[in-house]
């Protein structure tokens, strides 16, 4: 089992890659997936301390992915990152175990602060 700091799950490929690059520059190891199913698959084989998860994915809603990730790896902390989330989404995600619910656009400093990293 490989261990990584962060799994980024977002169907906006350029955005996900940019975020991974910015976090890598801060000394964090990242993997990127562009849909929910492949994200769940990699969480079953590798360990991630954090998952940054978009709510709107092409194959399933992020709430489903959150639920499955927490079932597979309860110690993994999940940050929901969305451009379209509602207050109801926020409440539901936090109730299901999300660590934070953040709206896009993302401030990288805020993301690092949420993760408690001092590598910024």
């Amino acid at each position: 089992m490989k261990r990584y700091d962060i799994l980024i799950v977002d169907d906006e490929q350029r955005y996900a890659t940019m975020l991974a690059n910015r976090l890598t520059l801060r000394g964090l190891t990242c993997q990127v997936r562009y849909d929910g199913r492949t994200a769940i698959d990699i969480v079953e084989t590798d360990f991630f301390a954090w998952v940054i998860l978009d709510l709107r994915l092409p194959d399933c809603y992020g709430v489903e992915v959150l639920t499955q990730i927490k079932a597979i790896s309860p110690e993994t902390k999940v940050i929901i990152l969305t451009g379209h989330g509602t207050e109801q989404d926020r409440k539901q995600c936090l109730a299901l175990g999300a660590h934070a619910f953040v709206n896009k656009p993302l401030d990288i400093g805020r993301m690092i602060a949420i993760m408690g990293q001092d590598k910024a």
Side-chain angles (χ1 to χ4, degrees):
M1 173 180 279
K2 293 181 182 174
R3 298 180 65 86
Y4 297 93
D5 294 313
I6 303 168
L7 172 63
I8 299 167
V9 186
D10 196 316
D11 62 319
E12 294 179 47
Q13 293 185 15
R14 289 181 62 198
Y15 182 83
T17 301
M18 176 274 307
L19 181 56
N21 289 340
R22 292 187 71 192
L23 292 169
T24 299
L25 288 172
R26 287 166 172 77
L28 301 168
T29 57
C30 300
Q31 286 288 309
V32 177
R33 295 297 180 269
Y34 306 114
D35 63 76
R37 183 72 249 158
T38 60
I40 292 164
D41 289 346
I42 196 170
V43 169
E44 289 176 336
T45 61
D46 295 333
F47 176 79
F48 296 89
W50 293 89
V51 174
I52 299 172
L53 174 63
D54 189 17
L55 269 185
R56 297 218 177 148
L57 298 168
D59 59 340
C60 55
Y61 200 55
V63 171
E64 298 168 39
V65 180
L66 167 64
T67 302
Q68 290 196 40
I69 288 172
K70 294 305 280 183
I72 296 164
S73 181
E75 64 276 15
T76 296
K77 294 178 183 170
V78 179
I79 298 171
I80 302 296
L81 179 62
T82 183
H84 307 286
T86 66
E87 180 62 18
Q88 181 178 344
D89 288 328
R90 186 187 72 77
K91 288 179 181 177
Q92 182 181 19
C93 289
L94 293 175
L96 291 170
H99 182 77
F101 190 95
V102 181
N103 289 309
K104 291 179 182 176
L106 169 73
D107 174 86
I108 196 73
R110 181 168 181 232
M111 181 62 69
I112 296 295
I114 289 169
M115 293 188 296
Q117 298 288 337
D118 277 335
K119 298 180 182 180

